[in-house]
Amino acid sequence: MDKEKILNVLKQVLIDNNNLVDSGSIKNISIDNNNIKLDVSIENPTLQFKNKIRSEIKGVLEKTYDNVSIVVDFMINKTEEKTTSDIQNIIAISSGKGGVGKSTISSNLAIALQKQGFSVGLIDADIYGPSIPLMFDAEGEKPKLVNKNNKSLMAPVISYGVKIMSIGFFSDGSNAIVWRGPMATKALKQMIEQTDWGKLDYLLIDLPPGTSDIHLSLVQTLSLTGAIVVTTPQPVALIDARKAIDMFKMKQINVPVIGLIENMSWCLIDNNKHYIFGRDGGKNLSASEDILLLAEIPLNQSIREAADIGRPAALQETELGDVFVKLSQQVRDSINSRNKDLPKTKKVEITHNRGCN
Ligand SMILES: Nc1ncnc2c1ncn2[C@@H]1O[C@H](COP(=O)(O)OP(=O)(O)OP(=O)(O)O)[C@@H](O)[C@H]1O
Ligand SMILES: [Mg+2]
């Protein structure tokens, strides 16, 4: 058993109109008696794809060698081009109606992107009901102060490789924060601007529900790359999702909505899909507003339980984990085509007094 022969055998495994070897996907081979260990670099990080390639590799090697044990590890190959600024893409996750799953989607999306090797930040902009510390098992954490170029900045809390900042880190979790609009927007602004984010591929912002001053303050502070609107298929949620879309489309805001996510689309009971909140609401809204439907996420007990114990479902190497990997690929594709088509979003000048500062 030698490397040369193994490489020859592996040429039978095809990937993207080429074979594993000629495409340069085999990064490492180690042989120890009858054990072969391979590191394979791939662009498609879904569990389904990994399983397919792993079983094809095993198939061809086991045909050639008797009693061989094969371990295949995958490395995810990043293809996006980088620019020089520190934060490449800032994406707001919004809804209209409360409780439709913004924070759940934001945390799982952040982890799915991080799992693929991107550097990801997540701001919990829900000043009144921060939930990201709980979902990342980071309750009670306190961001430390760091000195950067003679400026005092806060270091984000890092959990599962994601850099997190939340107003929840600055308050006693048991007390509701009873701030008024201007104070809340000031706190949000500070969290965004006075955090040592370092280089990020994606900064996600989990917004509070609605279309309030916080939202205006946010677009005033940041150059958003785009917004994602989350909805359930239920008519009351769709009405509010449309309001959120309209807000981003307003002439003085003009933030591209890079996609819709329908959450709680169905619940699988005894292998049958039950459409508890209605059916195809996201699809219909996507068609009528001409906005891409990025994903339909099932209502699933494990998603809720995983969020509650602070280990989002996207961490799992399961079909459920893959739902969020697929979502993150759709999000990346949509961001990439948005970045090709449109110039960087400018910060919004808000001329009327809405109590923002
Ligand atoms: N796909 C899902 N399957 C099961 N439970 C879900 C799903 N999405 C969200 N949940 C649960 O629904 C509840 C509300 O979700 P979440 O807090 O993410 O909503 P939200 O839109 O951020 O709410 P708010 O408007 O209050 O910020 C949570 O308990 C969460 O665990
Ligand atoms: Mg929330």
Side-chain angles (χ1 to χ4, degrees):
M1 201 157 45
D2 64 54
K3 279 190 189 171
E4 212 57 30
K5 187 161 178 210
I6 291 174
L7 281 172
N8 247 332
V9 173
L10 289 174
K11 284 190 181 174
Q12 296 169 57
V13 179
L14 301 182
I15 186 167
D16 299 334
N17 303 323
N18 203 339
N19 66 64
L20 267 190
V21 179
D22 294 336
S23 63
S25 307
I26 305 291
K27 295 297 177 199
N28 257 319
I29 301 182
S30 52
I31 308 166
D32 178 14
N33 294 323
N34 268 8
N35 304 314
I36 305 175
K37 192 172 168 303
L38 297 171
D39 290 334
V40 181
S41 164
I42 50 171
E43 279 176 20
N44 179 343
T46 61
L47 189 66
Q48 203 181 13
F49 185 75
K50 287 190 231 171
N51 285 345
K52 174 176 172 282
I53 295 292
R54 187 179 280 119
S55 86
E56 287 183 18
I57 289 175
K58 287 191 171 176
V60 293
L61 289 174
E62 282 165 358
K63 247 194 225 157
T64 315
Y65 301 107
D66 290 334
N67 296 328
V68 70
S69 127
I70 303 149
V71 175
V72 182
D73 282 331
F74 291 98
M75 301 149 77
I76 310 301
N77 187 8
K78 292 199 285 174
T79 49
E80 263 93 332
E81 280 180 23
K82 296 224 167 200
T83 62
T84 49
S85 81
D86 273 359
I87 301 178
Q88 306 282 317
N89 297 291
I90 307 179
I91 306 292
I93 292 145
S94 140
S95 64
K97 190 178 177 306
V100 296
K102 289 174 297 302
S103 304
T104 308
I105 300 278
S106 303
S107 46
N108 282 295
L109 176 59
I111 285 172
L113 288 167
Q114 197 280 335
K115 261 178 40 177
Q116 290 167 69
F118 295 100
S119 44
V120 185
L122 173 58
I123 290 186
D124 181 358
D126 198 341
I127 305 277
Y128 302 106
S131 45
I132 295 298
L134 173 83
M135 291 183 179
F136 276 82
D137 195 19
E139 278 182 303
E141 296 275 351
K142 296 274 171 258
K144 296 190 176 59
L145 282 180
V146 288
N147 201 299
K148 277 274 154 87
N149 306 328
N150 287 333
K151 235 176 121 183
S152 185
L153 296 175
M154 292 176 286
V157 169
I158 300 180
S159 180
Y160 308 123
V162 177
K163 294 179 179 172
I164 304 164
M165 197 45 107
S166 166
I167 203 75
F169 294 142
F170 305 98
S171 68
D172 171 354
S174 60
N175 291 335
I177 303 169
V178 281
W179 286 356
R180 295 286 163 255
M183 247 172 102
T185 54
K186 194 166 170 211
L188 177 57
K189 224 171 133 153
Q190 278 180 347
M191 248 182 356
I192 295 165
E193 291 175 344
Q194 294 173 25
T195 296
D196 179 26
W197 294 108
K199 282 201 181 301
L200 291 181
D201 295 306
Y202 300 97
L203 176 61
L204 307 182
I205 304 181
D206 175 22
L207 289 177
T211 48
S212 70
D213 280 353
I214 301 262
H215 303 81
L216 287 173
S217 153
L218 184 83
V219 288
Q220 216 178 2
T221 308
L222 289 171
S223 306
L224 291 180
T225 309
I228 291 174
V229 174
V230 181
T231 184
T232 63
Q234 205 180 357
V236 286
L238 293 164
I239 290 168
D240 289 358
R242 203 183 290 271
K243 281 188 198 152
I245 294 169
D246 289 345
M247 175 187 75
F248 288 116
K249 277 187 179 165
M250 272 162 63
K251 223 167 75 207
Q252 67 270 42
I253 291 190
N254 197 21
V255 169
V257 179
I258 61 151
L260 276 178
I261 297 174
E262 187 188 89
N263 189 26
M264 310 189 191
S265 299
W266 66 78
C267 183
L268 211 53
I269 301 169
D270 297 335
N271 270 335
N272 287 320
K273 284 183 178 177
H274 292 252
Y275 297 89
I276 293 169
F277 293 110
R279 193 168 178 173
D280 290 338
K283 241 181 225 159
N284 297 338
L285 184 63
S286 145
S288 70
E289 294 284 334
D290 194 20
I291 292 174
L292 195 65
L293 182 62
L294 296 164
E296 293 168 322
I297 310 282
L299 176 68
N300 181 302
Q301 189 172 335
S302 304
I303 295 181
R304 201 272 304 149
E305 285 171 353
D308 283 352
I309 60 163
R311 280 196 60 78
L315 288 166
Q316 301 167 12
E317 290 280 327
T318 58
E319 264 179 47
L320 192 57
D322 246 14
V323 166
F324 294 104
V325 172
K326 280 192 190 129
L327 164 69
S328 70
Q329 289 176 317
Q330 291 290 327
V331 169
R332 281 168 47 204
D333 286 350
S334 183
I335 293 173
N336 289 342
S337 57
R338 176 255 176 257
N339 287 344
K340 271 190 211 124
D341 297 343
L342 298 170
K344 253 187 140 94
T345 309
K346 298 222 168 50
K347 284 185 197 175
V348 178
E349 301 274 339
I350 298 200
T351 44
H352 54 284
N353 182 3
R354 296 284 311 252
C356 308
N357 50 11

